[in-house]
């Protein structure tokens, strides 16, 4: 059999939304199990995200360091952001986030991987792009606020990030998945074999 995730939806007998936040909400579904019993499942409803593994001409990865209150840590991450506009093309969102967080633009874009961050408790899906041929963006820097006002930026060699992931020193989901996916792509069929930047994304359909 093919090792491939497939769409499926079990019957829901009741649903409620006990919490609505600014960007996400919590939903409670009563789901019919294979034996006919009904189990209650609570999960976060999320609009989806994009993340960008930006690789420069020296094969260094652009990373940012940001305070994340839920885990009480400053994490090294790759630039990322929410899909704020329903149906928005994820490539456009990724280009915007790279500009806002790093004041960088890229000429070459490909899909590195798609991932559900925590499918047992959240429906968030993240598309991680590989961006190359980097240069400084034109115009003024984006005016950041809150946690992003304290953000740091660095460019780090890929092997050093791999070492940090395996040593348990780097924990951000998109960074870990992106770094290890890029390493696998380089060791396999190469970067030219990656999907194009406009590849379909069934988890978050988008307009052209």
């Amino acid at each position: 059999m093919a090792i491939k995730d497939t769409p499926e939806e079990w019957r829901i007998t009741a649903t409620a939304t006990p919490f609505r936040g600014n960007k996400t909400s919590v939903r409670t579904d009563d789901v019919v199990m294979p034996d006919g019993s009904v189990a209650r499942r609570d999960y976060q409803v999320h609009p989806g995200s994009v993340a960008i593994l930006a690789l420069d001409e020296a094969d260094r990865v652009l990373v940012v360091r940001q305070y994340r209150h839920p885990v009480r840590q400053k994490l090294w991450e790759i630039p990322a952001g929410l899909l704020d506009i329903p149906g928005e093309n994820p490539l456009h969102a990724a280009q915007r986030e790279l500009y806002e967080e790093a004041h960088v633009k890229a000429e070459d874009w490909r899909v590195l991987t798609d991932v559900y961050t925590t499918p047992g408790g959240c429906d968030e899906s993240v598309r991680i792009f590989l961006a190359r041929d980097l240069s400084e963006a034109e115009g003024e820097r984006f005016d950041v606020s809150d946690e992003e006002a304290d953000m740091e930026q660095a460019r780090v060699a890929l092997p050093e990030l791999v070492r940090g992931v395996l040593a348990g020193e780097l924990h951000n989901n998109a960074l870990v998945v992106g770094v290890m996916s890029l390493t696998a792509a380089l060791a396999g069929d190469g970067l030219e074999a990656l999907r194009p930047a406009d590849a379909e994304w069934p988890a978050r359909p988008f307009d052209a």
Side-chain angles (χ1 to χ4, degrees), residues 19-51:
F19 171 79
R20 294 184 186 274
N22 185 34
K23 298 292 185 181
T24 67
S25 60
V26 173
R27 184 174 298 161
T28 298
D29 291 340
D30 291 342
V31 185
V32 179
M33 298 290 110
D35 64 359
S37 63
V38 176
R40 180 158 291 176
R41 295 290 178 260
D42 302 316
Y43 58 100
Q44 182 185 19
V45 178
H46 193 285
S49 306
V50 291

mmCIF file of all heavy atoms in Angstrom, residues 19-51:
data_model
loop_
_atom_site.group_PDB
_atom_site.id
_atom_site.type_symbol
_atom_site.label_atom_id
_atom_site.label_comp_id
_atom_site.label_asym_id
_atom_site.label_seq_id
_atom_site.Cartn_x
_atom_site.Cartn_y
_atom_site.Cartn_z
ATOM 1 N N PHE A 19 -15.280 28.953 22.583
ATOM 2 C CA PHE A 19 -14.376 30.099 22.686
ATOM 3 C C PHE A 19 -14.053 30.623 21.300
ATOM 4 O O PHE A 19 -13.740 29.861 20.384
ATOM 5 C CB PHE A 19 -13.067 29.709 23.389
ATOM 6 C CG PHE A 19 -12.015 30.784 23.323
ATOM 7 C CD1 PHE A 19 -12.062 31.873 24.181
ATOM 8 C CD2 PHE A 19 -10.986 30.723 22.391
ATOM 9 C CE1 PHE A 19 -11.106 32.879 24.109
ATOM 10 C CE2 PHE A 19 -10.020 31.721 22.314
ATOM 11 C CZ PHE A 19 -10.093 32.806 23.179
ATOM 12 N N ARG A 20 -14.118 31.951 21.150
ATOM 13 C CA ARG A 20 -13.699 32.610 19.915
ATOM 14 C C ARG A 20 -12.666 33.673 20.274
ATOM 15 O O ARG A 20 -12.955 34.577 21.058
ATOM 16 C CB ARG A 20 -14.885 33.256 19.207
ATOM 17 C CG ARG A 20 -15.917 32.273 18.683
ATOM 18 C CD ARG A 20 -17.019 32.981 17.901
ATOM 19 N NE ARG A 20 -18.076 32.071 17.519
ATOM 20 C CZ ARG A 20 -18.071 31.318 16.414
ATOM 21 N NH1 ARG A 20 -17.035 31.400 15.590
ATOM 22 N NH2 ARG A 20 -19.074 30.518 16.127
ATOM 23 N N GLY A 21 -11.481 33.564 19.681
ATOM 24 C CA GLY A 21 -10.430 34.544 19.919
ATOM 25 C C GLY A 21 -10.273 35.464 18.731
ATOM 26 O O GLY A 21 -11.068 35.441 17.785
ATOM 27 N N ASN A 22 -9.215 36.271 18.766
ATOM 28 C CA ASN A 22 -8.975 37.233 17.702
ATOM 29 C C ASN A 22 -8.640 36.555 16.383
ATOM 30 O O ASN A 22 -9.108 36.971 15.308
ATOM 31 C CB ASN A 22 -7.835 38.175 18.117
ATOM 32 C CG ASN A 22 -7.606 39.280 17.113
ATOM 33 O OD1 ASN A 22 -8.542 39.773 16.487
ATOM 34 N ND2 ASN A 22 -6.360 39.691 16.941
ATOM 35 N N LYS A 23 -7.837 35.500 16.430
ATOM 36 C CA LYS A 23 -7.413 34.801 15.216
ATOM 37 C C LYS A 23 -7.852 33.343 15.183
ATOM 38 O O LYS A 23 -7.994 32.754 14.113
ATOM 39 C CB LYS A 23 -5.888 34.859 15.083
ATOM 40 C CG LYS A 23 -5.322 36.269 14.944
ATOM 41 C CD LYS A 23 -5.708 36.912 13.636
ATOM 42 C CE LYS A 23 -5.044 38.273 13.466
ATOM 43 N NZ LYS A 23 -5.440 38.928 12.201
ATOM 44 N N THR A 24 -8.027 32.731 16.342
ATOM 45 C CA THR A 24 -8.378 31.315 16.406
ATOM 46 C C THR A 24 -9.566 31.127 17.334
ATOM 47 O O THR A 24 -9.959 32.041 18.061
ATOM 48 C CB THR A 24 -7.197 30.471 16.919
ATOM 49 O OG1 THR A 24 -6.930 30.797 18.289
ATOM 50 C CG2 THR A 24 -5.943 30.722 16.075
ATOM 51 N N SER A 25 -10.118 29.921 17.310
ATOM 52 C CA SER A 25 -11.217 29.585 18.199
ATOM 53 C C SER A 25 -11.057 28.142 18.660
ATOM 54 O O SER A 25 -10.174 27.422 18.186
ATOM 55 C CB SER A 25 -12.569 29.772 17.489
ATOM 56 O OG SER A 25 -12.656 28.944 16.345
ATOM 57 N N VAL A 26 -11.919 27.722 19.584
ATOM 58 C CA VAL A 26 -11.933 26.336 20.059
ATOM 59 C C VAL A 26 -13.288 25.727 19.702
ATOM 60 O O VAL A 26 -14.331 26.333 19.970
ATOM 61 C CB VAL A 26 -11.686 26.244 21.576
ATOM 62 C CG1 VAL A 26 -11.886 24.812 22.060
ATOM 63 C CG2 VAL A 26 -10.278 26.719 21.916
ATOM 64 N N ARG A 27 -13.241 24.553 19.085
ATOM 65 C CA ARG A 27 -14.470 23.867 18.688
ATOM 66 C C ARG A 27 -14.580 22.551 19.441
ATOM 67 O O ARG A 27 -13.562 21.889 19.703
ATOM 68 C CB ARG A 27 -14.476 23.624 17.180
ATOM 69 C CG ARG A 27 -15.769 22.980 16.643
ATOM 70 C CD ARG A 27 -15.748 22.911 15.128
ATOM 71 N NE ARG A 27 -15.689 24.247 14.549
ATOM 72 C CZ ARG A 27 -15.307 24.500 13.303
ATOM 73 N NH1 ARG A 27 -14.929 23.510 12.513
ATOM 74 N NH2 ARG A 27 -15.291 25.733 12.842
ATOM 75 N N THR A 28 -15.790 22.177 19.771
ATOM 76 C CA THR A 28 -16.076 20.902 20.417
ATOM 77 C C THR A 28 -17.000 20.102 19.510
ATOM 78 O O THR A 28 -18.104 20.565 19.184
ATOM 79 C CB THR A 28 -16.735 21.104 21.787
ATOM 80 O OG1 THR A 28 -15.832 21.820 22.646
ATOM 81 C CG2 THR A 28 -17.070 19.770 22.423
ATOM 82 N N ASP A 29 -16.552 18.936 19.061
ATOM 83 C CA ASP A 29 -17.353 18.063 18.218
ATOM 84 C C ASP A 29 -17.615 16.746 18.929
ATOM 85 O O ASP A 29 -16.723 16.195 19.585
ATOM 86 C CB ASP A 29 -16.622 17.745 16.907
ATOM 87 C CG ASP A 29 -16.512 18.941 15.985
ATOM 88 O OD1 ASP A 29 -17.290 19.896 16.154
ATOM 89 O OD2 ASP A 29 -15.628 18.915 15.099
ATOM 90 N N ASP A 30 -18.839 16.222 18.778
ATOM 91 C CA ASP A 30 -19.157 14.858 19.195
ATOM 92 C C ASP A 30 -19.029 13.972 17.963
ATOM 93 O O ASP A 30 -19.797 14.111 17.001
ATOM 94 C CB ASP A 30 -20.566 14.779 19.777
ATOM 95 C CG ASP A 30 -20.697 15.497 21.116
ATOM 96 O OD1 ASP A 30 -19.652 15.757 21.745
ATOM 97 O OD2 ASP A 30 -21.832 15.808 21.525
ATOM 98 N N VAL A 31 -18.034 13.071 17.985
ATOM 99 C CA VAL A 31 -17.651 12.309 16.799
ATOM 100 C C VAL A 31 -18.001 10.833 16.994
ATOM 101 O O VAL A 31 -17.690 10.241 18.037
ATOM 102 C CB VAL A 31 -16.137 12.458 16.531
ATOM 103 C CG1 VAL A 31 -15.765 11.769 15.227
ATOM 104 C CG2 VAL A 31 -15.738 13.926 16.496
ATOM 105 N N VAL A 32 -18.631 10.245 15.979
ATOM 106 C CA VAL A 32 -18.984 8.832 16.033
ATOM 107 C C VAL A 32 -17.752 7.982 15.732
ATOM 108 O O VAL A 32 -17.115 8.124 14.681
ATOM 109 C CB VAL A 32 -20.106 8.515 15.018
ATOM 110 C CG1 VAL A 32 -20.458 7.025 15.068
ATOM 111 C CG2 VAL A 32 -21.342 9.363 15.300
ATOM 112 N N MET A 33 -17.414 7.094 16.681
ATOM 113 C CA MET A 33 -16.265 6.210 16.553
ATOM 114 C C MET A 33 -16.629 4.973 15.713
ATOM 115 O O MET A 33 -17.805 4.703 15.464
ATOM 116 C CB MET A 33 -15.779 5.778 17.947
ATOM 117 C CG MET A 33 -15.306 6.935 18.831
ATOM 118 S SD MET A 33 -13.746 7.671 18.275
ATOM 119 C CE MET A 33 -14.325 9.263 17.681
ATOM 120 N N PRO A 34 -15.629 4.197 15.263
ATOM 121 C CA PRO A 34 -15.916 3.021 14.426
ATOM 122 C C PRO A 34 -16.842 2.006 15.085
ATOM 123 O O PRO A 34 -17.575 1.302 14.376
ATOM 124 C CB PRO A 34 -14.521 2.422 14.180
ATOM 125 C CG PRO A 34 -13.607 3.601 14.244
ATOM 126 C CD PRO A 34 -14.182 4.478 15.315
ATOM 127 N N ASP A 35 -16.838 1.924 16.417
ATOM 128 C CA ASP A 35 -17.708 0.951 17.087
ATOM 129 C C ASP A 35 -19.100 1.506 17.366
ATOM 130 O O ASP A 35 -19.919 0.860 18.025
ATOM 131 C CB ASP A 35 -17.063 0.469 18.392
ATOM 132 C CG ASP A 35 -16.888 1.582 19.423
ATOM 133 O OD1 ASP A 35 -17.261 2.743 19.119
ATOM 134 O OD2 ASP A 35 -16.385 1.294 20.525
ATOM 135 N N GLY A 36 -19.378 2.743 16.898
ATOM 136 C CA GLY A 36 -20.695 3.337 17.091
ATOM 137 C C GLY A 36 -20.805 4.243 18.301
ATOM 138 O O GLY A 36 -21.794 4.965 18.439
ATOM 139 N N SER A 37 -19.811 4.219 19.171
ATOM 140 C CA SER A 37 -19.838 5.108 20.332
ATOM 141 C C SER A 37 -19.531 6.537 19.887
ATOM 142 O O SER A 37 -19.050 6.768 18.775
ATOM 143 C CB SER A 37 -18.826 4.648 21.382
ATOM 144 O OG SER A 37 -17.507 4.716 20.861
ATOM 145 N N VAL A 38 -19.818 7.490 20.774
ATOM 146 C CA VAL A 38 -19.577 8.894 20.468
ATOM 147 C C VAL A 38 -18.551 9.448 21.446
ATOM 148 O O VAL A 38 -18.680 9.274 22.664
ATOM 149 C CB VAL A 38 -20.885 9.710 20.535
ATOM 150 C CG1 VAL A 38 -20.603 11.192 20.306
ATOM 151 C CG2 VAL A 38 -21.886 9.201 19.506
ATOM 152 N N ALA A 39 -17.522 10.090 20.921
ATOM 153 C CA ALA A 39 -16.473 10.687 21.744
ATOM 154 C C ALA A 39 -16.421 12.188 21.485
ATOM 155 O O ALA A 39 -16.603 12.637 20.347
ATOM 156 C CB ALA A 39 -15.120 10.056 21.437
ATOM 157 N N ARG A 40 -16.189 12.950 22.527
ATOM 158 C CA ARG A 40 -16.112 14.410 22.403
ATOM 159 C C ARG A 40 -14.661 14.820 22.150
ATOM 160 O O ARG A 40 -13.756 14.392 22.848
ATOM 161 C CB ARG A 40 -16.656 15.072 23.665
ATOM 162 C CG ARG A 40 -16.627 16.592 23.646
ATOM 163 C CD ARG A 40 -17.634 17.174 24.624
ATOM 164 N NE ARG A 40 -19.000 16.913 24.159
ATOM 165 C CZ ARG A 40 -20.083 17.235 24.855
ATOM 166 N NH1 ARG A 40 -19.963 17.798 26.047
ATOM 167 N NH2 ARG A 40 -21.291 16.976 24.367
ATOM 168 N N ARG A 41 -14.466 15.664 21.149
ATOM 169 C CA ARG A 41 -13.130 16.119 20.783
ATOM 170 C C ARG A 41 -13.095 17.649 20.763
ATOM 171 O O ARG A 41 -13.875 18.279 20.045
ATOM 172 C CB ARG A 41 -12.722 15.566 19.402
ATOM 173 C CG ARG A 41 -12.587 14.043 19.365
ATOM 174 C CD ARG A 41 -11.372 13.588 20.154
ATOM 175 N NE ARG A 41 -11.220 12.140 20.188
ATOM 176 C CZ ARG A 41 -11.573 11.368 21.201
ATOM 177 N NH1 ARG A 41 -12.115 11.937 22.283
ATOM 178 N NH2 ARG A 41 -11.395 10.068 21.157
ATOM 179 N N ASP A 42 -12.180 18.223 21.553
ATOM 180 C CA ASP A 42 -11.963 19.673 21.570
ATOM 181 C C ASP A 42 -10.699 19.968 20.769
ATOM 182 O O ASP A 42 -9.678 19.292 20.933
ATOM 183 C CB ASP A 42 -11.755 20.184 23.005
ATOM 184 C CG ASP A 42 -12.930 19.848 23.910
ATOM 185 O OD1 ASP A 42 -14.078 20.031 23.474
ATOM 186 O OD2 ASP A 42 -12.687 19.401 25.050
ATOM 187 N N TYR A 43 -10.765 21.002 19.926
ATOM 188 C CA TYR A 43 -9.574 21.353 19.150
ATOM 189 C C TYR A 43 -9.606 22.816 18.754
ATOM 190 O O TYR A 43 -10.667 23.452 18.684
ATOM 191 C CB TYR A 43 -9.438 20.459 17.911
ATOM 192 C CG TYR A 43 -10.611 20.503 16.960
ATOM 193 C CD1 TYR A 43 -10.573 21.272 15.798
ATOM 194 C CD2 TYR A 43 -11.761 19.764 17.212
ATOM 195 C CE1 TYR A 43 -11.634 21.310 14.920
ATOM 196 C CE2 TYR A 43 -12.840 19.791 16.342
ATOM 197 C CZ TYR A 43 -12.770 20.566 15.186
ATOM 198 O OH TYR A 43 -13.841 20.598 14.332
ATOM 199 N N GLN A 44 -8.418 23.342 18.513
ATOM 200 C CA GLN A 44 -8.276 24.729 18.086
ATOM 201 C C GLN A 44 -8.490 24.818 16.580
ATOM 202 O O GLN A 44 -7.943 24.034 15.812
ATOM 203 C CB GLN A 44 -6.880 25.246 18.437
ATOM 204 C CG GLN A 44 -6.650 26.704 18.081
ATOM 205 C CD GLN A 44 -5.224 27.148 18.343
ATOM 206 O OE1 GLN A 44 -4.329 26.321 18.460
ATOM 207 N NE2 GLN A 44 -5.014 28.440 18.432
ATOM 208 N N VAL A 45 -9.303 25.779 16.188
ATOM 209 C CA VAL A 45 -9.527 26.045 14.772
ATOM 210 C C VAL A 45 -8.611 27.190 14.364
ATOM 211 O O VAL A 45 -8.639 28.268 14.960
ATOM 212 C CB VAL A 45 -10.999 26.409 14.502
ATOM 213 C CG1 VAL A 45 -11.211 26.730 13.028
ATOM 214 C CG2 VAL A 45 -11.909 25.270 14.925
ATOM 215 N N HIS A 46 -7.790 26.954 13.358
ATOM 216 C CA HIS A 46 -6.697 27.868 13.005
ATOM 217 C C HIS A 46 -6.772 28.205 11.516
ATOM 218 O O HIS A 46 -7.074 27.339 10.692
ATOM 219 C CB HIS A 46 -5.363 27.180 13.324
ATOM 220 C CG HIS A 46 -4.172 28.069 13.322
ATOM 221 N ND1 HIS A 46 -3.604 28.540 12.167
ATOM 222 C CD2 HIS A 46 -3.424 28.575 14.346
ATOM 223 C CE1 HIS A 46 -2.556 29.284 12.470
ATOM 224 N NE2 HIS A 46 -2.432 29.329 13.774
ATOM 225 N N PRO A 47 -6.474 29.447 11.118
ATOM 226 C CA PRO A 47 -6.575 29.808 9.709
ATOM 227 C C PRO A 47 -5.473 29.244 8.825
ATOM 228 O O PRO A 47 -5.566 29.291 7.594
ATOM 229 C CB PRO A 47 -6.495 31.341 9.737
ATOM 230 C CG PRO A 47 -5.694 31.648 10.965
ATOM 231 C CD PRO A 47 -6.119 30.609 11.966
ATOM 232 N N GLY A 48 -4.414 28.710 9.424
ATOM 233 C CA GLY A 48 -3.278 28.227 8.658
ATOM 234 C C GLY A 48 -2.148 29.236 8.658
ATOM 235 O O GLY A 48 -2.335 30.415 8.983
ATOM 236 N N SER A 49 -0.958 28.783 8.294
ATOM 237 C CA SER A 49 0.232 29.620 8.354
ATOM 238 C C SER A 49 1.153 29.330 7.181
ATOM 239 O O SER A 49 1.038 28.293 6.511
ATOM 240 C CB SER A 49 1.014 29.364 9.654
ATOM 241 O OG SER A 49 0.206 29.518 10.789
ATOM 242 N N VAL A 50 2.072 30.248 6.972
ATOM 243 C CA VAL A 50 3.178 30.029 6.046
ATOM 244 C C VAL A 50 4.478 30.277 6.799
ATOM 245 O O VAL A 50 4.518 31.055 7.759
ATOM 246 C CB VAL A 50 3.100 30.954 4.814
ATOM 247 C CG1 VAL A 50 1.929 30.574 3.931
ATOM 248 C CG2 VAL A 50 3.009 32.420 5.220
ATOM 249 N N ALA A 51 5.532 29.598 6.377
ATOM 250 C CA ALA A 51 6.861 29.814 6.941
ATOM 251 C C ALA A 51 7.858 29.796 5.797
ATOM 252 O O ALA A 51 7.608 29.178 4.748
ATOM 253 C CB ALA A 51 7.199 28.743 7.977
#
